[in-house]
Amino acid sequence: MLVMNQVSKKFGNFTALKDVTLEFDNGIYGLLAPNGAGKTTMIKMLVTLLFPTNGEILYDGTDITTLDEEYRNVLGYLPQEFGYYKNYTPEKYLMYLAALKGMEKNTAKQKITELLKLVGLENVTNKKLKKFSGGMIQRVGIAQAMLNDPKILILDEPTSGLDPKERARFRKLLNVLAQDRIIILSTHIVSDVESIANQIIMIKDKKVLYKDSITNICEILEGKIYETEVEIANAESFRAKYFSIGERQERDQMTFRFITEEKAIDPAWRNVRPSLEDVFLYIYQDDATLAGSTV
Ligand SMILES: Nc1ncnc2c1ncn2[C@@H]1O[C@H](COP(=O)(O)OP(=O)(O)OP(=O)(O)O)[C@@H](O)[C@H]1O
Ligand SMILES: [Mg+2]
């Protein structure tokens, strides 16, 4: 079990994370928050590239800095931006990384063949990485993080730049890997975690706001999400009155998805089930970096 205990991180006078307490057991955790919320900072502390200003991180009860090499041996990490040699084939690149990790050559070769198969790159082992699509590169990244068969796999924004098909493939792969492992992945894209993560962690104002199942997180908006049709001419005033979280135009009407705490409900409004996307938009409504969405 991996535990963060009252962890804070400051960069000079700037506080990036405050009093983060989290427990990770086997399963997939989605770290979901907008840009700049502190996801990478948290991940870098979990992989010992950064150290908490306050608090501690424990693996099976021992501080990870004390465990040092022993901890890194059970860790697999895919950085948000990972460097690779464009002229290498995936096989050569992985052999090179395996050598850096001190793996014996034959063991490495066997492991790499196995991993390239697992991530579905067994037919392109001799193709240069510069010819790979974003999704293929990402799979090479996952393969390198899996070289040491880690008990803890940490992926920082692994789905950015993937097309829908590649995303679906990635989800399947993670489900295979999740057996008997802690997987933590960060993203600012709701749809990337809602179908794969068992638990969602949301950071707001430097702190952990939620760590729960999607069903439980969505409950906070239960009975508050509605959809209704509005004449285009009245759209502006509707927007001014209600918190719109999605809009769709059809001919001369708009369908609004919106949040209201009102008790006096218009009979034309349809109460709908809250989604994680609704919660995300609601929680981060003051966040300047968020763009609008569609119903
Ligand atoms: N080395 C550093 N020195 C100073 N400030 C930093 C440093 N690293 C991160 N920060 C700041 O800490 C905050 C959190 O950054 P972080 O990279 O953890 O966010 P993030 O959630 O990963 O964002 P993104 O989605 O853009 O990757 C940001 O305001 C960032 O500017
Ligand atoms: Mg980041």
Side-chain angles (χ1 to χ4, degrees):
M1 176 140 67
L2 186 62
V3 175
M4 299 181 81
N5 211 350
Q6 296 278 88
V7 170
S8 298
K9 181 66 195 176
K10 284 187 177 180
F11 296 107
N13 286 329
F14 176 77
T15 301
L17 285 172
K18 206 170 168 199
D19 292 333
V20 172
T21 295
L22 287 170
E23 277 182 16
F24 302 96
D25 232 324
N26 286 349
I28 307 181
Y29 298 83
L31 183 54
L32 175 67
N35 294 119
K39 300 181 295 294
T40 297
T41 303
M42 187 190 286
I43 281 177
K44 283 192 173 167
M45 288 194 285
L46 288 172
V47 301
T48 70
L49 286 175
L50 280 178
F51 298 97
T53 313
N54 289 108
E56 54 182 7
I57 304 176
L58 309 172
Y59 181 57
D60 286 345
T62 311
D63 198 301
I64 59 172
T65 51
T66 312
L67 290 171
D68 198 38
E69 200 60 34
E70 203 183 319
Y71 175 68
R72 277 192 290 273
N73 284 342
V74 298
L75 193 68
Y77 169 48
L78 175 64
Q80 188 164 2
E81 275 141 22
F82 83 102
Y84 58 90
Y85 298 103
K86 289 188 167 58
N87 284 317
Y88 276 23
T89 64
E91 199 155 40
K92 189 172 174 193
Y93 171 66
L94 291 171
M95 278 305 283
Y96 161 75
L97 290 176
L100 287 184
K101 288 181 191 230
M103 280 173 86
E104 195 267 321
K105 204 171 169 182
N106 283 325
T107 319
K109 230 183 175 126
Q110 214 177 337
K111 187 74 198 172
I112 287 164
T113 307
E114 190 186 303
L115 283 173
L116 287 171
K117 197 165 173 218
L118 178 73
V119 299
L121 294 174
E122 72 270 31
N123 295 324
V124 287
T125 50
N126 291 314
K127 205 167 164 177
K128 286 186 176 168
L129 293 174
K130 64 179 172 199
K131 301 237 166 105
F132 277 29
S133 72
M136 287 161 86
I137 290 289
Q138 214 64 313
R139 281 184 265 156
V140 175
I142 291 168
Q144 67 75 30
M146 289 293 296
L147 272 173
N148 55 344
D149 203 8
K151 297 298 286 176
I152 307 168
L153 179 63
I154 300 184
L155 313 165
D156 198 355
E157 305 248 4
T159 49
S160 65
L162 301 194
D163 67 32
K165 212 172 146 196
E166 288 170 333
R167 271 162 214 256
R169 194 175 203 296
F170 173 78
R171 274 199 290 274
K172 275 190 206 142
L173 174 59
L174 274 204
N175 274 322
V176 174
L177 300 180
Q179 278 141 26
D180 169 50
R181 234 184 276 276
I182 295 173
I183 299 185
I184 303 169
L185 69 140
S186 80
T187 184
H188 57 269
I189 303 163
V190 176
S191 58
D192 281 358
V193 283
E194 69 182 348
S195 50
I196 42 174
N198 314 113
Q199 293 256 306
I200 300 287
I201 297 161
M202 286 169 110
I203 308 171
K204 163 103 174 162
D205 298 334
K206 333 281 183 203
K207 295 184 164 192
V208 173
L209 182 66
Y210 295 119
K211 178 191 182 259
D212 216 329
S213 65
I214 293 171
T215 315
N216 287 347
I217 290 178
C218 287
E219 229 157 65
I220 66 156
L221 288 180
E222 196 62 56
K224 294 176 185 169
I225 308 284
Y226 292 87
E227 284 187 8
T228 195
E229 278 70 42
V230 175
E231 299 292 317
I232 286 183
N234 301 327
E236 206 53 53
S237 59
F238 191 87
R239 266 190 217 105
K241 197 161 174 211
Y242 298 102
F243 177 34
S244 163
I245 45 177
E247 300 175 11
R248 186 179 62 215
Q249 188 177 337
E250 259 164 57
R251 294 193 197 94
D252 52 352
Q253 280 200 327
M254 304 278 291
T255 299
F256 274 92
R257 186 180 179 96
F258 61 103
I259 303 179
T260 180
E261 312 238 359
E262 277 179 27
K263 292 279 173 281
I265 303 301
D266 187 316
W269 295 355
R270 298 180 299 278
N271 187 211
V272 291
R273 279 175 68 185
S275 69
L276 191 60
E277 178 96 28
D278 297 335
V279 177
F280 189 85
L281 292 169
Y282 177 68
I283 297 297
Y284 303 112
Q285 56 185 291
D286 302 323
D287 206 293
T289 59
L290 282 182
S293 86
T294 46
V295 175

PDB file of all heavy atoms in Angstrom, residues 137-150:
ATOM      1  N   ILE A 137       3.656   5.724 -29.895  1.00  0.00           N
ATOM      2  CA  ILE A 137       4.722   6.225 -29.011  1.00  0.00           C
ATOM      3  C   ILE A 137       4.313   6.055 -27.545  1.00  0.00           C
ATOM      4  O   ILE A 137       5.098   5.623 -26.700  1.00  0.00           O
ATOM      5  CB  ILE A 137       5.018   7.722 -29.310  1.00  0.00           C
ATOM      6  CG1 ILE A 137       5.701   7.866 -30.669  1.00  0.00           C
ATOM      7  CG2 ILE A 137       5.860   8.365 -28.207  1.00  0.00           C
ATOM      8  CD1 ILE A 137       7.138   7.366 -30.728  1.00  0.00           C
ATOM      9  N   GLN A 138       3.044   6.377 -27.288  1.00  0.00           N
ATOM     10  CA  GLN A 138       2.538   6.251 -25.921  1.00  0.00           C
ATOM     11  C   GLN A 138       2.641   4.801 -25.442  1.00  0.00           C
ATOM     12  O   GLN A 138       2.948   4.531 -24.291  1.00  0.00           O
ATOM     13  CB  GLN A 138       1.086   6.751 -25.892  1.00  0.00           C
ATOM     14  CG  GLN A 138       0.689   7.435 -24.627  1.00  0.00           C
ATOM     15  CD  GLN A 138       1.469   8.717 -24.383  1.00  0.00           C
ATOM     16  OE1 GLN A 138       2.669   8.746 -24.510  1.00  0.00           O
ATOM     17  NE2 GLN A 138       0.788   9.776 -24.019  1.00  0.00           N
ATOM     18  N   ARG A 139       2.392   3.869 -26.348  1.00  0.00           N
ATOM     19  CA  ARG A 139       2.476   2.455 -25.981  1.00  0.00           C
ATOM     20  C   ARG A 139       3.919   2.039 -25.727  1.00  0.00           C
ATOM     21  O   ARG A 139       4.187   1.199 -24.873  1.00  0.00           O
ATOM     22  CB  ARG A 139       1.844   1.592 -27.069  1.00  0.00           C
ATOM     23  CG  ARG A 139       0.318   1.593 -26.955  1.00  0.00           C
ATOM     24  CD  ARG A 139      -0.297   0.669 -27.953  1.00  0.00           C
ATOM     25  NE  ARG A 139      -0.689   1.367 -29.171  1.00  0.00           N
ATOM     26  CZ  ARG A 139      -0.817   0.777 -30.352  1.00  0.00           C
ATOM     27  NH1 ARG A 139      -0.565  -0.508 -30.478  1.00  0.00           N
ATOM     28  NH2 ARG A 139      -1.198   1.473 -31.399  1.00  0.00           N
ATOM     29  N   VAL A 140       4.856   2.652 -26.471  1.00  0.00           N
ATOM     30  CA  VAL A 140       6.271   2.411 -26.191  1.00  0.00           C
ATOM     31  C   VAL A 140       6.592   2.936 -24.783  1.00  0.00           C
ATOM     32  O   VAL A 140       7.295   2.298 -24.000  1.00  0.00           O
ATOM     33  CB  VAL A 140       7.183   3.115 -27.233  1.00  0.00           C
ATOM     34  CG1 VAL A 140       8.648   2.953 -26.867  1.00  0.00           C
ATOM     35  CG2 VAL A 140       6.919   2.569 -28.631  1.00  0.00           C
ATOM     36  N   GLY A 141       6.005   4.103 -24.481  1.00  0.00           N
ATOM     37  CA  GLY A 141       6.195   4.700 -23.149  1.00  0.00           C
ATOM     38  C   GLY A 141       5.684   3.800 -22.045  1.00  0.00           C
ATOM     39  O   GLY A 141       6.310   3.663 -20.993  1.00  0.00           O
ATOM     40  N   ILE A 142       4.535   3.186 -22.279  1.00  0.00           N
ATOM     41  CA  ILE A 142       3.986   2.269 -21.273  1.00  0.00           C
ATOM     42  C   ILE A 142       4.879   1.030 -21.160  1.00  0.00           C
ATOM     43  O   ILE A 142       5.163   0.560 -20.063  1.00  0.00           O
ATOM     44  CB  ILE A 142       2.528   1.898 -21.621  1.00  0.00           C
ATOM     45  CG1 ILE A 142       1.645   3.135 -21.432  1.00  0.00           C
ATOM     46  CG2 ILE A 142       2.024   0.754 -20.733  1.00  0.00           C
ATOM     47  CD1 ILE A 142       0.262   3.014 -22.003  1.00  0.00           C
ATOM     48  N   ALA A 143       5.350   0.550 -22.298  1.00  0.00           N
ATOM     49  CA  ALA A 143       6.241  -0.616 -22.282  1.00  0.00           C
ATOM     50  C   ALA A 143       7.500  -0.318 -21.468  1.00  0.00           C
ATOM     51  O   ALA A 143       7.925  -1.139 -20.658  1.00  0.00           O
ATOM     52  CB  ALA A 143       6.603  -1.028 -23.715  1.00  0.00           C
ATOM     53  N   GLN A 144       8.079   0.883 -21.641  1.00  0.00           N
ATOM     54  CA  GLN A 144       9.298   1.193 -20.868  1.00  0.00           C
ATOM     55  C   GLN A 144       9.001   1.300 -19.379  1.00  0.00           C
ATOM     56  O   GLN A 144       9.805   0.910 -18.543  1.00  0.00           O
ATOM     57  CB  GLN A 144      10.051   2.424 -21.422  1.00  0.00           C
ATOM     58  CG  GLN A 144       9.389   3.790 -21.308  1.00  0.00           C
ATOM     59  CD  GLN A 144       9.415   4.398 -19.895  1.00  0.00           C
ATOM     60  OE1 GLN A 144      10.328   4.155 -19.109  1.00  0.00           O
ATOM     61  NE2 GLN A 144       8.398   5.171 -19.569  1.00  0.00           N
ATOM     62  N   ALA A 145       7.793   1.791 -19.049  1.00  0.00           N
ATOM     63  CA  ALA A 145       7.422   1.882 -17.629  1.00  0.00           C
ATOM     64  C   ALA A 145       7.184   0.496 -17.023  1.00  0.00           C
ATOM     65  O   ALA A 145       7.239   0.319 -15.813  1.00  0.00           O
ATOM     66  CB  ALA A 145       6.177   2.748 -17.470  1.00  0.00           C
ATOM     67  N   MET A 146       6.920  -0.481 -17.889  1.00  0.00           N
ATOM     68  CA  MET A 146       6.603  -1.837 -17.419  1.00  0.00           C
ATOM     69  C   MET A 146       7.816  -2.769 -17.403  1.00  0.00           C
ATOM     70  O   MET A 146       7.697  -3.941 -17.043  1.00  0.00           O
ATOM     71  CB  MET A 146       5.530  -2.454 -18.335  1.00  0.00           C
ATOM     72  CG  MET A 146       4.145  -1.852 -18.195  1.00  0.00           C
ATOM     73  SD  MET A 146       3.401  -2.194 -16.604  1.00  0.00           S
ATOM     74  CE  MET A 146       3.265  -3.985 -16.726  1.00  0.00           C
ATOM     75  N   LEU A 147       8.978  -2.255 -17.812  1.00  0.00           N
ATOM     76  CA  LEU A 147      10.169  -3.108 -17.947  1.00  0.00           C
ATOM     77  C   LEU A 147      10.467  -3.946 -16.706  1.00  0.00           C
ATOM     78  O   LEU A 147      10.831  -5.105 -16.791  1.00  0.00           O
ATOM     79  CB  LEU A 147      11.393  -2.249 -18.289  1.00  0.00           C
ATOM     80  CG  LEU A 147      11.673  -1.976 -19.768  1.00  0.00           C
ATOM     81  CD1 LEU A 147      12.812  -0.983 -19.917  1.00  0.00           C
ATOM     82  CD2 LEU A 147      11.997  -3.275 -20.503  1.00  0.00           C
ATOM     83  N   ASN A 148      10.321  -3.305 -15.548  1.00  0.00           N
ATOM     84  CA  ASN A 148      10.662  -4.014 -14.300  1.00  0.00           C
ATOM     85  C   ASN A 148       9.434  -4.651 -13.637  1.00  0.00           C
ATOM     86  O   ASN A 148       9.471  -4.940 -12.453  1.00  0.00           O
ATOM     87  CB  ASN A 148      11.354  -3.053 -13.334  1.00  0.00           C
ATOM     88  CG  ASN A 148      10.507  -1.819 -13.070  1.00  0.00           C
ATOM     89  OD1 ASN A 148       9.563  -1.547 -13.822  1.00  0.00           O
ATOM     90  ND2 ASN A 148      10.798  -1.080 -12.023  1.00  0.00           N
ATOM     91  N   ASP A 149       8.359  -4.837 -14.420  1.00  0.00           N
ATOM     92  CA  ASP A 149       7.119  -5.425 -13.893  1.00  0.00           C
ATOM     93  C   ASP A 149       6.694  -4.750 -12.582  1.00  0.00           C
ATOM     94  O   ASP A 149       6.585  -5.386 -11.539  1.00  0.00           O
ATOM     95  CB  ASP A 149       7.336  -6.929 -13.666  1.00  0.00           C
ATOM     96  CG  ASP A 149       6.024  -7.678 -13.679  1.00  0.00           C
ATOM     97  OD1 ASP A 149       4.992  -7.060 -14.020  1.00  0.00           O
ATOM     98  OD2 ASP A 149       6.018  -8.864 -13.324  1.00  0.00           O
ATOM     99  N   PRO A 150       6.468  -3.421 -12.620  1.00  0.00           N
ATOM    100  CA  PRO A 150       6.301  -2.646 -11.383  1.00  0.00           C
ATOM    101  C   PRO A 150       5.009  -2.966 -10.623  1.00  0.00           C
ATOM    102  O   PRO A 150       3.996  -3.294 -11.234  1.00  0.00           O
ATOM    103  CB  PRO A 150       6.271  -1.204 -11.890  1.00  0.00           C
ATOM    104  CG  PRO A 150       5.725  -1.308 -13.269  1.00  0.00           C
ATOM    105  CD  PRO A 150       6.274  -2.589 -13.819  1.00  0.00           C
TER     106      PRO A 150
END
